[in-house]
Amino acid sequence: MILQLYFARRFLASFLGVALSLAALIALIELMDELSDMPDQPFREVLGIVLLKMPWANYEILPLVVILASTALFLRLSRSSELVVLRASGRSALRGLLAPACVALMIGLLWLSIGNPIVAATSKREHDLSNFYQGSETAALAISSEGLWLRQGGPEGQTVIFALRASSDLGTLYEPNFLDFDRDGMPVRRINAGAAQLRDGEWFLRDAKIWDLSGGGNPEAEATRAVTLTIPSDLTQDRIVDSFGKPRYIPVWDLPDFIAELEEAGFSARRYAVWFHSELAQPVFLVALVLMSAAFTMRHARGANMGVMVLAAVLAGFGLHYIRNFAHILGENGQIPILLAAWAPPLAAMFLALGILLHLEDG
C-alpha cells in the first residue's frame, strides 16, 4: 500500500506541474489574442474574458496533460532505476501502474462531476460577454414541445418567429409564423408560410399569407397571399446554432433532460448525445492514455533509445486523441451509432495499451 501511495503521489505531482505550466502558457496566449481582438476594451474586461476562457481551455487539453504527466513520471522512474528495484523485489512492474491509473480515473471523475458544470457556466458567460463587447447580439431561441421560438432584431423593431419544426441545421423552418413588432412593442404584421429558408441576409418564404395589423380595419378581410416573399434578417445559421447552445454550454447532468426535450420537440439531438456519452467516457480515456504512455516508457533508460520511446508515447497519445475526435464527428453526422462513437475509442485504446504491456512485461 505504501508503494502504491508513493506512485500515486508522484503521478499527482507530475500532473499538477504539467497542468499549471500549460495553464500559464495558454493564459498568456489567450490574453495576447484578446487584447489584439478587443483593443478598445479596458484591460480589466479583457482579463475577465480570459479568466472565463481558462476552464474550457484547461478542460480541452486535459488528455494532453495526462499524456505528458504520465510520460514524465515513467521516464523519471526509469532513469532513477526505481522500476528495476520494483522488479528485483519480486513485484511486477504492472503493479506500479495501478496507482497512476487510479489517480487518472479519479481526476477524470472529479473533472466530470465538478469541472464540467464550471466549464458550462464560464463558457456560456464568456460567449455572451464576447458578443456584447463586439456588438453582435446573440439570437434568442427557445425549444418547447410545441416547436421552436426565435427572435431577431432590426431597425424598425423586433420579429418573433415560431415554427413547428426545423431542419437539422436550423436553416429551414417549416410552417413558420412571423410576428413583427414596432419600436413601441405594438404588433404591425403577421405572416404565415409553408416554409422559410434562411439565406444571406434574408428569410425566403414560400406560400405566404400576410396580415396587416397596423391599421384599424379587419386584418383577415385585408389579408394578402404571396407565392414567395423575402424578409430581411441579420441572423445566420452560426448565430442560431450558437443561441441553440453548444453541448459544452450545458452541464453534463442536465444533458439527459435537454436531449429528451429536443427529441420531444422533433429536433435532432445527436451531437448532444454524443457529447454526453463522450464526457462519461472521459475518465476511461484518461486511464487508457496512462497505460499507453507506460507501454513505451517503462523500460530501463539504458536499455533502449528513450528519446524515441518518449516521442512514440506522445505521438500515440495524440493519435488516440484525434481518433476519438474523428469518431465523435462520425457519430454526430450519423455515420456510426452514438455509443460506438463515444465508447469505442477509449475502450479500444485501453485494451491496446494492456496488450502491449502484457507483451513486454513478465507476469
Side-chain angles (χ1 to χ4, degrees), residues 11-12 39 42 52 54 57 83 89 95 104 152 176 181 183 258 269 278-279 303 305 318 326-327 351:
F11 177 74
L12 184 60
L52 289 173
M54 289 310 298
L83 293 178
S89 65
R95 297 188 62 179
Q152 68 178 31
F181 295 86
R183 290 183 175 272
F258 185 79
S278 65
E279 289 298 285
N305 190 340
F318 275 108
F326 182 66
F351 288 127

Side-chain angles (χ1 to χ4, degrees), residues 133-206:
Y133 292 149
Q134 295 172 6
S136 58
E137 182 183 1
T138 302
L141 182 145
I143 299 293
S144 67
S145 58
E146 291 81 14
L148 174 146
W149 293 89
L150 186 66
R151 177 179 58 83
Q152 68 178 31
E156 299 179 356
Q158 301 284 328
T159 300
V160 176
I161 307 170
F162 171 76
L164 294 178
R165 55 192 180 92
S167 60
S168 59
D169 59 357
L170 299 178
T172 303
L173 305 180
Y174 302 102
E175 301 184 44
N177 292 269
F178 290 75
L179 189 58
D180 296 335
F181 295 86
D182 59 16
R183 290 183 175 272
D184 298 327
M186 300 300 295
V188 295
R189 186 176 64 167
R190 176 187 173 187
I191 303 174
N192 284 8
Q197 182 180 5
L198 182 60
R199 295 183 175 179
D200 189 12
E202 65 180 16
W203 287 101
F204 181 77
L205 280 63
R206 297 184 180 89

Side-chain angles (χ1 to χ4, degrees), residues 110-261:
L110 287 174
W111 202 254
L112 175 66
S113 59
I114 301 175
N116 183 276
I118 295 175
V119 168
T122 55
S123 296
K124 186 64 171 65
R125 180 60 177 166
E126 181 272 327
H127 176 264
D128 294 340
L129 284 179
S130 296
N131 286 343
F132 176 76
Y133 292 149
Q134 295 172 6
S136 58
E137 182 183 1
T138 302
L141 182 145
I143 299 293
S144 67
S145 58
E146 291 81 14
L148 174 146
W149 293 89
L150 186 66
R151 177 179 58 83
Q152 68 178 31
E156 299 179 356
Q158 301 284 328
T159 300
V160 176
I161 307 170
F162 171 76
L164 294 178
R165 55 192 180 92
S167 60
S168 59
D169 59 357
L170 299 178
T172 303
L173 305 180
Y174 302 102
E175 301 184 44
N177 292 269
F178 290 75
L179 189 58
D180 296 335
F181 295 86
D182 59 16
R183 290 183 175 272
D184 298 327
M186 300 300 295
V188 295
R189 186 176 64 167
R190 176 187 173 187
I191 303 174
N192 284 8
Q197 182 180 5
L198 182 60
R199 295 183 175 179
D200 189 12
E202 65 180 16
W203 287 101
F204 181 77
L205 280 63
R206 297 184 180 89
D207 190 18
K209 184 177 181 180
I210 305 102
W211 290 269
D212 186 2
L213 306 179
S214 59
N218 186 344
E220 181 63 31
E222 299 173 359
T224 60
R225 287 190 173 274
V227 178
T228 61
L229 180 68
T230 59
I231 299 177
S233 175
D234 60 348
L235 296 179
T236 62
Q237 286 183 244
D238 291 337
R239 287 184 59 190
I240 296 177
V241 171
D242 286 345
S243 63
F244 201 89
K246 293 182 179 179
R248 63 185 173 95
Y249 293 164
I250 305 171
V252 66
W253 308 122
D254 295 339
L255 274 174
D257 294 336
F258 185 79
I259 292 171
E261 290 179 1

Side-chain angles (χ1 to χ4, degrees), residues 64-145:
L64 173 63
V65 173
V66 172
I67 293 170
L68 296 179
S70 55
T71 301
L73 169 67
F74 294 119
L75 184 60
R76 287 197 296 267
L77 293 178
S78 296
R79 288 181 173 177
S80 62
S81 299
E82 290 177 85
L83 293 178
V84 176
V85 174
L86 179 65
R87 293 184 177 95
S89 65
R91 297 173 177 266
S92 171
L94 292 177
R95 297 188 62 179
L97 289 176
L98 182 60
C102 290
V103 172
L105 182 63
M106 292 301 300
I107 290 172
L109 293 175
L110 287 174
W111 202 254
L112 175 66
S113 59
I114 301 175
N116 183 276
I118 295 175
V119 168
T122 55
S123 296
K124 186 64 171 65
R125 180 60 177 166
E126 181 272 327
H127 176 264
D128 294 340
L129 284 179
S130 296
N131 286 343
F132 176 76
Y133 292 149
Q134 295 172 6
S136 58
E137 182 183 1
T138 302
L141 182 145
I143 299 293
S144 67
S145 58

